[in-house]
Amino acid sequence: MSARTHVAVVGAGLAGLAAALDSSDAGARVTLFERRNRLGGLTCSFRHGGLWVDNGQHVFLRCCEEYLSFLKRIGARDDVELPARLDIPVVAPGSPPKVGRLRRSALPAPLQLAGSLLRYPHLPVRERLRLGRAMLALRRLRMDDPALDDITFGDWLSSKGQSPTAIAAVWDLITVPTLNLPAAEASLALGAMVFRTGLLEDPAAADIGWSRVPLGVLHGERAGVALARAGVDVRLGTRVEAVRPDSTGGYTVDRLHADAIVVALPHDEAARVLPRGAVHHQERLDQLGSSAIVDVHLVYDRPVTSWPLMAAVSSPIQWVFDRTSSSGLTSGQYLAVSMSAADRLLTERPESLERRIAGELGRLLPTSADARLVDSLVTKERSATFRAVPGSGSLRPEARTSFPGLTVAGAWTDTGWPATMEGAVRSGRAAARAALDARQRIPVTKEVA
């Protein structure tokens, strides 16, 4: 090429990192702007009491192919754990606590969980049998039907014979952490997508993986090395106030000229930074709203469970993760209790929340009630995701804007996925392709060698 396309990427979360690396891999010259003094966006780590603490528990599924490709690209694939087969303990409080398991068998989809659901102790036998009716109905849905975004997933499940008990004990076990909303509030379109993709098409799709290292290392440090090797100009601590078309047919961002721009910011910030009229419903993007995630971090003087992760029902606790190794703790055990759709917890005082959750964990894991709580901490992601309610789909723009070479990225854009790490990476790669294709310079290959 006689002249390299200059791509500016605004925002260094997963979407921006993916866009920057894809653009560079395609041969473009890339400048990456980030207002924080670190990479990784909403996934980060910090030091507390000598330990590494993640701001939230960000897991992924085996079906998250683009995210796994991104980890490989930044040299972080070996930093994550992905067990060979889904096997999740599900605990309800009691004397003793009642333990069930969601365990995948070797059967093809959608039968891979049939055995564990038929033995699932948190539902009466009659209700376990009714689960199949709703699963079969999900398989018959036309996913391109826009009417799926008009009603809640909960209303649809009720119409298929699912009781409030079944929704709480089975469906919300997956809906709440993936959509950051319960089925009663979430769009059927996204609820159906999660279950179709994760459970009904590929038997291994829902195998759960997690990071072995702090998230700041997994995404921030590893991506920083990859960006440097790719020759990307990274400008941390730089807040972009606006993207403006210029007289050359390109754009000006922070006094820099670029041929193409990827705006990979949260939806409310993107609406402010983009030129007016760049995306459909730009003035209404704030209506996508936000949904919170709250984590309570508990450090005990001794090990209290051998499970790397567990789920809970009939409890304010949703998921519990063992973060002992990744935190650097050498004696005792560090458990992170993660609660999605947690707006109601934002106003609760941290010390009150710590006491309440530690007490509740004692009902689920009696061994923790006998252990000494050495330290505790609360982290709150107030705007962790957009609110995936009915009607939200119409507000999510595609990557291309009305300005040639200007694209948008972020898990809130129209990726076909909920607000997940997979959705963020998909959005960044789509935005990079669209930005470079618009300039008719060089193609962006989908797969990374």
Side-chain angles (χ1 to χ4, degrees):
M1 292 175 57
S2 59
R4 296 173 67 195
T5 298
H6 184 190
V7 176
V9 179
V10 183
L14 294 184
L17 294 173
L21 287 168
D22 265 21
S23 297
S24 179
D25 290 346
R29 181 165 62 94
V30 181
T31 303
L32 175 62
F33 297 94
E34 169 55 48
R35 64 177 177 83
R36 303 177 180 90
N37 289 310
R38 60 170 178 80
L39 304 172
L42 289 177
T43 65
C44 66
S45 308
F46 58 92
R47 299 287 283 179
H48 171 79
L51 301 178
W52 281 110
V53 175
D54 292 335
N55 69 318
Q57 307 312 303
H58 297 269
V59 299
F60 60 94
L61 304 181
R62 194 180 296 277
C63 62
C64 296
E65 297 175 353
E66 296 288 349
Y67 174 69
L68 288 167
S69 173
F70 170 76
L71 291 182
K72 182 179 178 181
R73 174 63 182 83
I74 64 175
R77 182 61 181 83
D78 291 338
D79 292 326
V80 297
E81 184 80 21
L82 184 55
R85 187 168 292 181
L86 177 74
D87 187 1
I88 305 297
V90 184
V91 187
S95 298
K98 186 183 296 184
V99 180
R101 301 191 86 93
L102 288 180
R103 180 185 287 123
R104 175 170 70 85
S105 72
L107 292 173
L111 301 176
Q112 73 274 24
L113 292 180
S116 64
L117 289 174
L118 287 172
R119 295 186 296 270
Y120 194 62
H122 307 305
L123 277 182
V125 174
R126 181 176 57 186
E127 301 225 24
R128 297 176 213 170
L129 296 174
R130 288 178 179 170
L131 292 172
R133 175 187 173 190
M135 292 288 186
L136 291 174
L138 275 176
R139 295 192 78 185
R140 292 194 292 266
L141 286 176
R142 287 182 50 243
M143 296 305 296
D144 59 351
D145 183 356
L148 299 187
D149 195 40
D150 293 339
I151 64 171
T152 69
F153 190 32
D155 284 345
W156 184 87
L157 288 170
S158 295
S159 74
K160 303 305 174 185
Q162 302 303 290
S163 70
T165 300
I167 292 173
V170 176
W171 299 96
D172 272 347
L173 203 63
I174 298 169
T175 304
V176 171
T178 54
L179 300 186
N180 205 12
L181 283 180
E185 299 179 43
S187 166
L188 169 58
L190 285 174
M193 179 272 164
V194 165
F195 281 88
R196 286 272 294 258
T197 304
L199 297 177
L200 301 180
E201 296 173 356
D202 180 345
D207 294 347
I208 296 178
W210 59 87
S211 177
R212 295 194 188 110
V213 299
L215 290 174
V217 174
L218 181 70
H219 297 145
E221 291 186 18
R222 299 289 189 262
V225 172
L227 291 166
R229 288 177 176 168
V232 175
D233 177 12
V234 178
R235 303 189 182 187
L236 298 177
T238 303
R239 179 187 289 274
V240 171
E241 298 296 339
V243 171
R244 297 183 177 89
D246 61 29
S247 59
T248 67
Y251 300 90
T252 299
V253 52
D254 194 48
R255 300 184 299 278
L256 180 81
H257 168 78
D259 302 303
I261 304 276
V262 176
V263 174
L265 295 172
H267 57 84
D268 51 347
E269 293 184 47
R272 173 182 55 81
V273 168
L274 290 168
R276 182 175 297 179
V279 297
H280 190 51
H281 296 317
Q282 186 170 333
E283 72 287 351
R284 295 175 52 205
L285 288 182
D286 62 325
Q287 294 178 18
L288 280 170
S290 63
S291 190
I293 297 175
V294 172
D295 281 48
V296 178
H297 308 261
L298 303 171
V299 180
Y300 293 95
D301 67 340
R302 70 196 76 171
V304 298
T305 180
S306 61
W307 294 327
L309 74 165
M310 58 169 269
V313 295
S314 303
S315 168
I317 289 175
Q318 296 168 10
W319 288 78
V320 182
F321 299 86
D322 182 1
R323 304 305 292 163
T324 305
S325 177
S326 68
S327 71
L329 184 67
T330 56
S331 63
Q333 190 167 30
Y334 167 11
L335 300 180
V337 179
S338 183
M339 293 162 288
S340 300
D343 290 8
R344 68 193 183 285
L345 300 181
L346 293 177
T347 57
E348 186 170 352
R349 294 178 63 85
E351 55 271 25
S352 169
L353 190 55
E354 291 162 4
R355 285 194 302 270
R356 185 163 65 84
I357 295 303
E360 183 63 26
L361 190 60
R363 299 176 62 212
L364 299 169
L365 296 173
T367 48
S368 71
D370 298 331
R372 182 169 63 90
L373 187 61
V374 176
D375 196 7
S376 58
L377 176 71
V378 173
T379 55
K380 299 179 179 181
E381 297 179 77
R382 296 177 179 273
S383 300
T385 67
F386 71 91
R387 294 186 69 81
V389 297
S392 59
S394 65
L395 296 173
R396 300 175 71 185
E398 63 177 1
R400 296 181 186 274
T401 73
S402 59
F403 292 80
L406 173 61
T407 61
V408 291
W412 58 274
T413 61
D414 186 11
T415 64
W417 281 67
T420 58
M421 296 189 296
E422 173 74 3
V425 171
R426 283 175 176 260
S427 75
R429 304 195 75 180
R433 272 196 307 276
L436 289 170
D437 287 349
R439 290 300 178 193
Q440 298 181 350
R441 298 279 186 164
I442 42 182
V444 177
T445 56
K446 184 180 180 186
E447 296 300 326
V448 176

